[in-house]
Amino acid sequence: MREVVRYNWPLYAAGCLAAGAGLALSYRLPGPAAAFARAGAGAAAALLASSTAATWWVYDRSELRTFDWLAELLPSGPGEHLVLSSGLDEASRPVAARWPRHPQSVVDLYDPALMTEGSIRRARHRVPPAPRTRPGRHDRLPAASGSADTVLAVFAAHELRRADDRDELFAECARVLRPGGRLVLVEHLRDAANTAVYGPGAQHFFPRRAWLRAAAGADLRPVAQRRIGGLVTAFAFAAPTATATATARTITIPTGKHPAP
């Protein structure tokens, strides 16, 4: 939680300022206006408290950072896997420690021209990429086609704010996956639970339908889902199997004519 507050300190400072200013202003205003100012201060304080408590619960108390939940989405483990980050890699080390015999590659997608949030810039400055991390682009991953059993994108894809960029990332994930391989996507969703605790901040998240649409566009189908800490959702999307791919490539066009000799 301390790290999240450090990366997002301007938002927390604004919340504290709004609560303090509303309360101070209420003493200078007449009856109805004072009540309105106190209500605004109370709402700002409540939102600040709920978002801080939710962050503490998800990131410090839930199983999120232990990666115990990953075994449910990947019963055989990640195999040869690719870990994607967008400036802050919090997945490669715990995954490598849990599955040390499974080959791992780490790709950093950070692009300051596309990822303009101050929080990710501060996080990247504080936590540099792990050794042997390779730079990459969302539309050109540094991996051969069909070379990975799993691609892990843990809080990485939402930093691409444009739908076209996310579509390109999913297409690249589908390209590097072997037949039947899985993309594991971990994100907060813009849903009722996250809106209740984060308020307007939940607009930074994308709704479930946005991720399902991006996966469908890359021919990745949802095969498993896990809710973590009540506020984070982990999806597993599977690439087509070799049989399905071969079937899709076999196209028969009836013409009603016999082939020429």
Side-chain angles (χ1 to χ4, degrees):
M1 184 188 72
R2 288 193 300 270
E3 295 301 310
V4 172
V5 172
R6 184 176 287 115
Y7 303 150
N8 295 277
W9 69 264
L11 297 177
Y12 286 89
C16 292
L17 183 62
L23 185 60
L25 191 61
S26 68
Y27 293 108
R28 296 176 174 271
L29 296 174
F36 183 78
R38 283 194 293 270
L47 179 59
L48 190 63
S50 67
S51 62
T52 302
T55 298
W56 170 80
W57 171 253
V58 170
Y59 292 91
D60 291 329
R61 303 300 298 173
S62 79
E63 60 180 334
L64 175 65
R65 299 183 72 169
T66 68
F67 282 82
D68 291 341
W69 48 270
L70 189 56
E72 186 175 323
L73 302 183
L74 303 172
S76 301
E80 189 169 352
H81 59 283
L82 196 66
V83 178
L84 305 181
S85 72
S86 293
L88 179 62
D89 171 22
E90 297 183 286
S92 64
R93 289 182 179 89
V95 171
R98 188 177 180 90
W99 288 280
R101 297 182 182 274
H102 294 218
Q104 180 186 92
S105 298
V106 185
V107 175
D108 183 19
L109 303 178
Y110 180 70
D111 183 345
L114 297 177
M115 303 166 189
T116 57
E117 295 287 333
S119 58
I120 197 67
R121 185 177 64 252
R122 286 184 287 271
R124 182 178 176 81
H125 179 73
R126 182 173 177 81
V127 183
R132 296 183 299 279
T133 295
R134 291 181 289 172
R137 288 178 50 87
H138 66 280
D139 58 352
R140 191 168 62 251
L141 296 178
S145 299
S147 62
D149 296 302
T150 305
V151 176
L152 296 169
V154 181
F155 301 123
H158 76 274
E159 297 296 346
L160 294 168
R161 305 308 298 171
R162 300 184 305 198
D164 289 348
D165 293 338
R166 296 192 298 276
D167 290 344
E168 290 175 335
L169 174 62
F170 272 64
E172 273 294 277
C173 291
R175 178 185 66 80
V176 304
L177 285 172
R178 295 184 175 119
R182 294 189 175 190
L183 164 64
V184 175
L185 176 79
V186 181
E187 292 287 351
H188 285 278
L189 299 182
R190 189 190 303 165
D191 56 16
N194 280 282
T195 300
V197 297
Y198 290 111
Q203 293 301 304
H204 184 64
F205 312 141
F206 292 106
R208 172 188 173 87
R209 66 178 179 275
W211 298 120
L212 295 180
R213 184 196 62 78
D219 200 19
L220 299 171
R221 61 185 179 88
V223 292
Q225 181 177 317
R226 181 75 150 75
R227 193 75 164 181
I228 305 169
L231 295 170
V232 171
T233 301
F235 297 96
F237 298 107
T241 62
T243 301
T245 302
T247 301
R249 290 177 178 173
T250 303
I251 303 174
T252 302
I253 303 176
T255 64
K257 300 179 180 179
H258 294 290

